[in-house]
Amino acid sequence: MTNYRIQNKGRINYKKRINFSFDGKNYQGFEGDTVASALLANGVHLMGRSFKYHRPRGPVTAGSEEPNALIGTQRPDRASDRYEPNTRATYQEIYEGLITTSQNNWPSLTFDVGAINDRFSKLFSAGFYYKTFMWPKSFWDKVYEPAIRSAAGLGVSPDKADPDHYASRYLHCDILIIGAGPSGIAAALQASENDTASIVLVDENSEIGGTLLSETQVTIDQEAASDWLANALTKLQNKQNVRILTRTTAIGYYHQNMVGLAQKLTDHLSSPPQDAPRERLWRVRAKQVVLAQGAMERPLVFDGNDRPGVMLSGAASIYLNRYGVLVGRKPAFVTSHDSAWYSAFELADAGADIAAVIDTRSDVNQALCAEADKRGIPYFLNHTVSKTQGRLRISALTMNALNGDIVKPGNVIPCDALLMCGGWTPSLHLFSHTKGTLNWDEKQQVFLPGTLTEECQIAGACRGLWGIETCLEDGIKAGLAALEALQLTTDQISHSVANDHMGEGVTHKELPSDKPINSQKAFIDFQNDVLAKDIRLAVREGMRSIEHVKRYTTNGMATDQGKMSNMNGLTIAADALGKDIPKVGLTTFRPPYTPTTFGTFAGYHKEQCFEVTRKSPIDRWAEKNGAVFEPVSLWRRAWYFPRSGESLHDAVARECASTRKSLGIFDASTLGKINIIGPDAAEFLNRLYTNPWTKLAVGRCRYGVLLGEDGFIRDDGVIGRMAEDNFHVTTTTGGAASVLNMMEDYLQTEWPDLQVWLTSTTEQWATIAINGPNARNMLAPLVEGLDISDTAFPHMSVADCTVAGMKARLFRMSFTGELGFEINVPASQGLLLWDALMAAGKPYDICPYGTETMHVLRAEKGYIIVGQDTDGTLTPFDAGLGWAIGKKKPDFVGKRSLDRPDMHKTDRKQLVGLKTKIPEQVLEEGAQIVNTPDEVIPAKMVGHVTSSYWSETLGHSIALAVIENGLNRLGETVYIPMPNEILAAEIVKTVFYDPDGLRLNG
């Protein structure tokens, strides 16, 4: 095993050796190593295979933008149930026992059968799937789709539940600084001079410093960069108003300065604390944001630029100066930018034998040439690399002289690494999340931030400023600007820098070659195997927008989101189109900035916490008394209360009979409740609901129907007028939030002139419904301050009073057809009231009933449930609720839609009742309905069953259904095809029980 480690160089801890494995083979590294740096130190460049062609791949970068070195990771103590695919080897820190595996290969990484795709690459050109899988159509289901699905994706999806847990927090601060390189640190130092400003500095790496972590020549304030960095870190850590978050990536920048941060907490630990979360999502609201994300080095595009051992020159410097690793003993460089020369000098000084520095430019700073001569480094100006050699790692390159774009015959140069630099691209992903404009800088050939849409400052390389001194100065200015925006001040600090370097460069499309374009394998998107010729093919086939080119070729759609490929792809597309780059456009950057686990977004929401279960104040009593529960929206509701040996059918039959005979009690606390107050409250309801509300008397209630703009039923409920300017609105259990949102939307956007205030009170009131002939007899002795006789308190009345010593809001209403009351008390007193009512109801054999009995009782009366008996396409007329539309109202939400001709067609589906020909047959809800028993398949479905129950009261099954022209077909027979038989039912009116409503008065 070859050792490429330069002992005692870098920032790793040489005193702590760490054992880990890759593809079953054991390796050693040191504390502070990443998987990539440790493998490179052991001479391993081959770490994966590309997606489409299965070409051998090694790391091309040293950071989070890595497109190639994606691996699977497992913890040694939980290897069987803790596996994560697509982890970036350049970002994953090693720890004792870490198990890593390569991906996208079989049977092994070195011999992959899938590499045969590379031999047939001409068959897989850009857009091949749009052309190949169109014929014959019969092949799609049995041949094409299974093959595509088996080939899709990188890595293997975990097949076991994630054993880790995740956390989330909210954070508010004055200044959030994203990126802790020279600009970010300078901004933090400057802003922290004002002790009143709360500052958060975040960086995705394990330690702050950015480029300073791998800088050995520069001095700052007459100190080595590493010493200055250590002192700056100490100073910031000692500031009470500064919080530093490392291993934390800003994944998204949202409206009103909301930034999402994904913090890795334990992925670098061999033995995490037992209950420690793996990752944490921070939702940060900052008054000012400073973007100091730096820039990313741009690869060059040439034939064979993807072999293991070909990487960015800046990455080679990072591996050397931060991890003490030489990426090659005999590396070569190909560049169009000065910065690669400095990397060559650093590797040469560390003992590497530089094979050549190949620069595509003819005019290069002579100082660079002098430094190369001093070290004996051969260099070639106005030259290019036309191809590379080597199967699993580069072994040689072919260098050619340039004469314009013409390549002269070249020489083969042996090398074990090829380090490239095509310039630098400012990191503008987060800025783009804000929809800020980007401006093209023709001189630098980069996009730079333009118009700001959020309260932010941009500093350093991410706005096209190069060199450490320049970036430090710009960071100071950004820190001052952020303070000034907060109306805070402090004295300006300053720094002096020596031996600073960055240099200049030019931008290339693909490098000239002595091979025809269609024969070259010059890669742009390394992960998705997008070639330069694919971009040109997309243009030839009619793609003009860069967004279309992106989707046709998949360029920039890999896990790195185009960080390595977007600018090269755009440059080549512009050249193919004969247009300037800004006229071709730019693809859209979307969050998250880097791949982020689902667990980070889910946070605490998993298993029992995945979906919050809401419980009413009566829930404890129901559980204690043997209730069987069902989920209704987010609520847990008592379904039925079985006695010993009772089935669902038996319990519901008993509950229905007891309620109709004497007295039933029901927990209705989950009903949505909204308080509408204000001088224009009645007018507001008038505009929203179909019914008229202006003349509704105080102390009276009315059933209201709410439509959408399309004229279809959206919700319903009883609304009571408590005062001239105060209405108590009820909604369906599942519709509470959506109705309130709809009301807020109209109030804020359509009728902002109305003086109305909306308050959700769903959880503030406990609501108990009592129904049955003895409801008044039981309740009257408990009521104080209100006469609830039939004359004084008729059906559809409401009043505030005292019930069982508790302040209450009492409704006279019924959802069963029996004499009924709904009592609302503060939620904290709900269980106390329930107990009082149960005690008072004993002489009347009071019977608690659940949601199933409620459904049966309401269906017997033909009362609908929105969302069950309506499907989003029913109007009030369709549902038999035409009486609920105010005939004299000039307008309400949905009125104009109700006037459309289609709304009055006779063949519309309408709500009707069904009675089966055989009384004992209970229809299935959702069952389809046809006109005749001998319909030819495929039969015409004329409707479906919406609600269906056995009615103990009627001794017959009942159902509600929507049927075409149903209201004009009463008495006709329809048929319901089932798997083993066809059932027959008669269309009847929706009211099965007490059609005259006499029992509402007891």
Side-chain angles (χ1 to χ4, degrees):
M1 186 182 296
T2 306
N3 185 2
Y4 287 80
R5 186 80 72 177
I6 307 297
Q7 288 296 320
N8 299 318
K9 187 172 182 62
R11 302 177 65 86
I12 58 176
N13 181 9
Y14 284 95
K15 296 180 180 180
K16 187 172 182 180
R17 289 186 178 272
I18 293 177
N19 299 288
F20 71 103
S21 69
F22 177 64
D23 277 352
K25 187 174 181 179
N26 294 325
Y27 294 92
Q28 278 193 340
F30 296 94
E31 185 179 50
D33 263 324
T34 63
V35 173
S37 68
L39 288 176
L40 290 172
N42 287 279
V44 178
H45 276 257
L46 177 62
M47 298 183 194
R49 292 275 178 167
S50 65
F51 173 60
K52 187 163 65 172
Y53 299 141
H54 286 246
R55 286 174 65 91
R57 292 289 166 78
V60 69
T61 76
S64 64
E65 66 272 28
E66 174 59 38
N68 279 349
L70 303 181
I71 58 174
T73 59
Q74 292 174 285
R75 282 196 175 279
D77 56 331
R78 288 181 279 182
S80 62
D81 60 357
R82 168 59 169 79
Y83 170 80
E84 180 182 271
N86 295 324
T87 303
R88 286 149 290 163
T90 55
Y91 192 62
Q92 174 64 55
E93 299 170 64
I94 63 171
Y95 52 80
E96 188 65 31
L98 171 66
I99 302 169
T100 65
T101 53
S102 60
Q103 301 183 152
N104 203 44
N105 58 77
W106 184 84
S108 70
L109 179 59
T110 55
F111 179 76
D112 178 15
V113 171
I116 194 172
N117 288 1
D118 195 29
R119 296 293 182 92
F120 297 98
S121 59
K122 291 185 178 180
L123 299 178
F124 302 112
S125 60
F128 76 95
Y129 30 79
Y130 298 122
K131 310 162 189 173
T132 309
F133 305 125
M134 299 300 291
W135 181 90
K137 291 185 177 180
S138 59
F139 273 36
W140 176 255
D141 292 337
K142 295 182 180 179
V143 179
Y144 297 147
E145 185 178 17
I148 293 170
R149 287 189 179 278
S150 65
L154 284 168
V156 179
S157 237
D159 57 3
K160 292 185 173 65
D162 187 349
D164 294 310
H165 68 276
Y166 302 80
S168 57
R169 288 186 182 176
Y170 287 89
L171 178 64
H172 291 77
C173 64
D174 291 320
I175 303 173
L176 171 65
I177 303 171
I178 299 171
S183 298
I185 292 174
L189 288 170
Q190 179 63 73
S192 66
E193 288 294 300
N194 188 304
D195 295 335
T196 63
S198 58
I199 300 163
V200 177
L201 175 64
V202 304
D203 195 274
E204 64 183 359
N205 294 293
S206 59
E207 52 182 335
I208 71 169
T211 188
L212 297 178
L213 295 173
S214 57
E215 183 55 69
T216 59
Q217 303 300 318
V218 170
T219 62
I220 306 174
D221 296 343
Q222 300 180 342
E223 293 180 302
S226 57
D227 293 334
W228 181 89
L229 176 61
N231 293 332
L233 176 59
T234 300
K235 185 174 183 179
L236 290 172
Q237 288 174 333
N238 290 334
K239 290 279 188 177
Q240 296 296 316
N241 59 328
V242 177
R243 182 198 294 260
I244 300 174
L245 297 176
T246 55
R247 300 185 178 91
T248 303
T249 304
I251 57 174
Y253 193 165
Y254 305 94
H255 189 45
Q256 294 181 334
N257 268 20
M258 170 71 82
V259 179
L261 309 177
Q263 181 182 24
K264 292 184 177 295
L265 299 172
T266 61
D267 273 359
H268 61 292
L269 302 177
S270 58
S271 299
Q274 183 67 32
D275 297 320
R278 181 186 172 203
E279 297 177 8
R280 176 181 291 126
L281 178 67
W282 294 86
R283 295 177 178 89
V284 183
R285 186 80 72 180
K287 294 178 181 177
Q288 284 285 306
V289 172
V290 176
L291 297 177
Q293 295 178 275
M296 292 173 287
E297 195 170 11
R298 194 183 304 176
L300 289 169
V301 183
F302 54 89
D303 188 28
N305 64 339
D306 68 318
R307 298 186 191 279
V310 180
M311 64 174 64
L312 297 171
S313 64
S317 291
I318 292 173
Y319 285 119
L320 174 65
N321 296 319
R322 188 172 174 189
Y323 302 106
V325 175
L326 270 179
V327 297
R329 295 290 183 188
K330 192 175 182 62
F333 288 77
V334 58
T335 183
S336 61
H337 196 277
D338 292 351
S339 62
W341 290 73
Y342 294 106
S343 295
F345 302 155
E346 290 177 336
L347 267 65
D349 293 345
D353 179 14
I354 307 299
V357 173
I358 302 164
D359 201 311
T360 62
R361 301 169 295 172
S362 57
D363 184 18
V364 174
N365 188 328
Q366 289 303 303
L368 296 176
C369 298
E371 288 293 323
D373 290 334
K374 185 189 303 183
R375 294 171 171 83
I377 298 174
Y379 56 88
F380 302 87
L381 308 184
N382 200 37
H383 278 66
T384 185
V385 171
S386 60
K387 64 181 178 181
T388 62
Q389 300 175 27
R391 192 174 78 86
L392 301 179
R393 179 175 174 181
I394 188 172
S395 60
L397 61 85
T398 299
M399 179 185 69
N400 302 75
L402 283 171
N403 183 9
D405 283 343
I406 300 174
V407 177
K408 294 185 176 181
N411 299 317
V412 175
I413 299 178
C415 62
D416 61 355
L418 177 57
L419 309 175
M420 55 184 170
C421 177
W424 296 80
T425 301
S427 182
L428 295 173
H429 290 64
L430 285 183
F431 175 77
S432 295
H433 292 175
T434 69
K435 294 296 183 183
T437 60
L438 295 177
N439 297 329
W440 177 249
D441 186 302
E442 184 64 30
K443 180 180 179 181
Q444 298 192 69
Q445 293 285 290
V446 295
F447 282 100
L448 298 177
T451 305
L452 302 176
T453 60
E454 298 289 339
E455 293 295 325
C456 74
Q457 314 295 327
I458 304 173
C462 69
R463 73 182 192 97
L465 300 178
W466 314 113
I468 291 176
E469 183 171 21
T470 303
C471 289
L472 286 173
E473 291 174 355
D474 204 46
I476 291 169
K477 292 177 182 177
L480 282 172
L483 287 174
E484 290 172 1
L486 299 173
Q487 297 183 333
L488 301 173
T489 59
T490 186
D491 294 333
Q492 182 172 342
I493 61 177
S494 63
H495 300 289
S496 61
V497 178
N499 299 324
D500 198 2
H501 56 79
M502 183 63 186
E504 298 178 347
V506 296
T507 299
H508 281 285
K509 51 185 186 295
E510 67 269 54
L511 296 181
S513 174
D514 54 0
K515 294 170 64 175
I517 289 178
N518 288 336
S519 299
Q520 297 177 33
K521 288 187 176 175
F523 287 87
I524 297 175
D525 188 314
F526 294 99
Q527 191 178 116
N528 279 351
D529 283 334
V530 180
L531 298 161
K533 63 182 180 182
D534 291 330
I535 303 292
R536 295 187 180 277
L537 175 63
V539 171
R540 288 201 305 272
E541 296 195 351
M543 307 300 152
R544 294 295 179 264
S545 165
I546 194 62
E547 291 283 7
H548 292 160
V549 172
K550 170 183 176 179
R551 282 154 183 79
Y552 195 70
T553 63
T554 72
N555 183 52
M557 295 175 67
T559 56
D560 73 323
Q561 288 198 51
K563 294 181 178 68
M564 291 287 97
S565 62
N566 271 351
M567 285 306 301
N568 282 333
L570 179 58
T571 301
I572 294 170
D575 181 68
L577 287 166
K579 293 183 178 181
D580 294 334
I581 287 177
K583 292 183 179 179
V584 180
L586 188 65
T587 55
T588 303
F589 299 118
R590 297 179 176 88
Y593 174 73
T594 56
T596 306
T597 63
F598 288 121
T600 300
F601 292 114
Y604 298 108
H605 301 294
K606 63 178 287 189
E607 297 172 349
Q608 292 183 352
C609 294
F610 177 71
E611 189 171 71
V612 177
T613 299
R614 302 170 75 182
K615 298 178 181 179
S616 81
I618 319 300
D619 183 85
R620 282 180 296 165
W621 186 96
E623 184 174 30
K624 183 179 178 181
N625 286 270
V628 177
F629 293 95
E630 70 164 342
V632 179
S633 184
L634 295 178
W635 293 91
R636 180 173 92 152
R637 299 192 70 180
W639 189 14
Y640 61 99
F641 292 86
R643 292 179 180 174
S644 179
E646 282 187 336
S647 64
L648 167 64
H649 176 83
D650 297 334
V652 171
R654 173 181 51 79
E655 292 172 8
C656 287
S658 297
T659 301
R660 296 245 183 258
K661 179 181 178 181
S662 179
L663 185 61
I665 183 170
F666 176 69
D667 179 12
S669 300
T670 64
L671 282 175
K673 294 173 278 288
I674 303 170
N675 203 30
I676 299 182
I677 294 179
D680 298 320
E683 175 60 20
F684 179 66
L685 289 172
N686 229 30
R687 297 182 186 183
L688 275 176
Y689 283 81
T690 63
N691 323 56
W693 298 95
T694 307
K695 295 182 180 180
L696 181 68
V698 174
R700 297 293 292 165
C701 307
R702 181 166 290 158
Y703 172 76
V705 179
L706 182 66
L707 309 181
E709 290 281 9
D710 51 15
F712 300 132
I713 297 173
R714 184 76 60 87
D715 200 81
D716 68 348
V718 173
I719 301 174
R721 190 167 198 169
M722 309 309 302
E724 288 294 329
D725 60 352
N726 186 346
F727 289 83
H728 181 118
V729 178
T730 64
T731 73
T732 57
T733 294
S738 61
V739 170
L740 180 61
N741 287 341
M742 179 179 174
M743 289 181 173
E744 288 281 11
D745 183 40
Y746 275 94
L747 184 59
Q748 294 180 33
T749 63
E750 302 298 325
W751 312 314
D753 55 306
L754 296 184
Q755 296 185 55
V756 176
W757 291 267
L758 309 175
T759 306
S760 172
T761 58
T762 300
E763 294 186 343
Q764 277 59 52
W765 292 106
T767 305
I768 300 171
I770 53 173
N771 289 275
N774 285 311
R776 184 185 289 111
N777 296 333
M778 183 273 285
L779 183 61
L782 302 178
V783 176
E784 299 177 20
L786 181 66
D787 179 0
I788 65 169
S789 66
D790 192 47
T791 303
F793 198 65
H795 183 60
M796 299 302 280
S797 296
V798 62
D800 290 327
C801 60
T802 299
V803 178
M806 292 168 246
K807 291 184 177 180
R809 180 165 290 174
L810 182 64
F811 285 79
R812 167 84 186 277
M813 56 180 289
S814 172
F815 199 47
T816 64
E818 303 293 339
L819 172 64
F821 297 87
E822 285 189 5
I823 312 163
N824 293 268
V825 296
S828 60
Q829 297 178 324
L831 187 55
L832 187 63
L833 175 64
W834 182 275
D835 289 335
L837 295 174
M838 287 295 295
K842 278 186 178 180
Y844 305 100
D845 295 323
I846 190 169
C847 176
Y849 64 89
T851 55
E852 187 68 16
T853 295
M854 178 269 290
H855 279 283
V856 175
L857 296 175
R858 64 91 194 173
E860 290 173 345
K861 284 293 294 178
Y863 297 150
I864 70 167
I865 290 184
V866 173
Q868 178 167 329
D869 299 305
T870 66
D871 62 357
T873 65
L874 259 62
T875 70
F877 300 109
D878 298 333
L881 299 175
W883 55 266
I885 297 177
K887 304 300 186 292
K888 297 181 180 180
K889 291 185 65 173
D891 198 10
F892 54 82
V893 173
K895 186 178 189 300
R896 281 168 287 179
S897 294
L898 289 180
D899 292 335
R900 292 183 299 163
D902 279 359
M903 295 299 204
H904 301 281
K905 285 185 176 180
T906 57
D907 61 350
R908 288 187 59 79
K909 289 182 179 180
Q910 298 163 340
L911 189 69
V912 294
L914 290 179
K915 290 186 73 173
T916 54
K917 295 295 186 179
I918 300 175
E920 292 77 18
Q921 289 179 332
V922 180
L923 301 177
E924 287 190 16
E925 292 179 350
Q928 299 294 306
I929 300 170
V930 298
N931 282 327
T932 63
D934 54 356
E935 290 274 0
V936 178
I937 296 175
K940 174 176 170 52
M941 302 299 177
V942 296
H944 69 276
V945 178
T946 62
S947 298
S948 181
Y949 311 96
W950 169 257
S951 172
E952 188 72 14
T953 302
L954 302 173
H956 200 295
S957 70
I958 61 171
L960 297 176
V962 288
I963 297 177
E964 290 180 2
N965 198 27
L967 295 176
N968 293 320
R969 299 182 60 185
L970 298 179
E972 293 185 19
T973 299
V974 289
Y975 299 89
I976 300 90
M978 301 305 293
N980 300 318
E981 59 182 331
I982 297 178
L983 308 181
E986 179 187 357
I987 300 177
V988 298
K989 292 182 178 180
T990 55
V991 182
F992 297 93
Y993 174 78
D994 187 29
D996 296 326
L998 300 177
R999 296 185 65 87
L1000 284 173
N1001 294 316

